[in-house]
Amino acid sequence: MIHKGAIVLGLLVGAGLGVLLAPEKGKVTRDKLKKEGKDIKDQITEDFKEVKEDVSKAAKSGKEKFNEDFKDFRSKASYKTEQAITFLEKQLATLKEKNKTYQHTS
C-alpha cells in the first residue's frame, strides 16, 4: 500500500522536474506550475479529508467497543454482586439461627 505522503512527495518532485526540464516560455511554465500546484493542493486536501474520516471512524469504533465492553463488565459485575448477596444472606440466616439458641424464652 502506497503512503499518501509518498504520493504528494512524488507530485512535488514531478512538478519541480517538469519545470526544470520544460523548454517552454515563462508564461506557459507558470501556468503549468499553477495548475500542478492546484492539483497538489486538491490532492492534499482530499488526503486530509480521508485521514480525518478514518480517524473519526476509528474513534467511533473505539467508543462503541468501549461501551460494549463496559456493558459486558457491568453485567458480569451485577451477577457477581448477586452471588455475594446470596452468600451473605445465607450466612446471616445461619448466624440468626445460632443466635436464637442463646435467647431464653420466658
Side-chain angles (χ1 to χ4, degrees):
M1 183 168 148
I2 298 176
H3 187 2
K4 291 179 182 179
I7 293 172
V8 172
L9 181 60
L11 288 170
L12 290 171
V13 170
L17 287 174
V19 170
L20 293 174
L21 301 175
E24 298 173 339
K25 292 183 180 180
K27 179 167 179 13
V28 173
T29 301
R30 284 191 300 276
D31 288 344
K32 282 185 176 182
L33 279 175
K34 284 179 189 176
K35 183 190 177 308
E36 289 178 14
K38 183 184 177 315
D39 290 345
I40 291 169
K41 179 187 156 234
D42 292 344
Q43 181 65 47
I44 290 171
T45 301
E46 185 62 32
D47 289 346
F48 279 123
K49 271 188 206 175
E50 288 179 23
V51 168
K52 182 181 173 185
E53 289 172 6
D54 290 346
V55 168
S56 178
K57 286 178 187 175
K60 184 178 180 182
S61 175
K63 182 178 178 182
E64 289 172 358
K65 176 74 171 132
F66 173 79
N67 286 337
E68 184 180 312
D69 289 347
F70 183 71
K71 279 168 77 176
D72 288 344
F73 170 77
R74 187 173 54 197
S75 178
K76 288 176 185 175
S78 177
Y79 282 114
K80 292 296 182 184
T81 301
E82 189 66 32
Q83 289 174 347
I85 291 170
T86 301
F87 173 77
L88 290 172
E89 287 173 338
K90 287 178 183 178
Q91 293 300 320
L92 285 172
T94 302
L95 288 173
K96 190 173 184 179
E97 287 300 315
K98 284 184 180 181
N99 189 50
K100 281 184 186 179
T101 62
Y102 299 119
Q103 297 175 357
H104 296 285
T105 54
S106 317

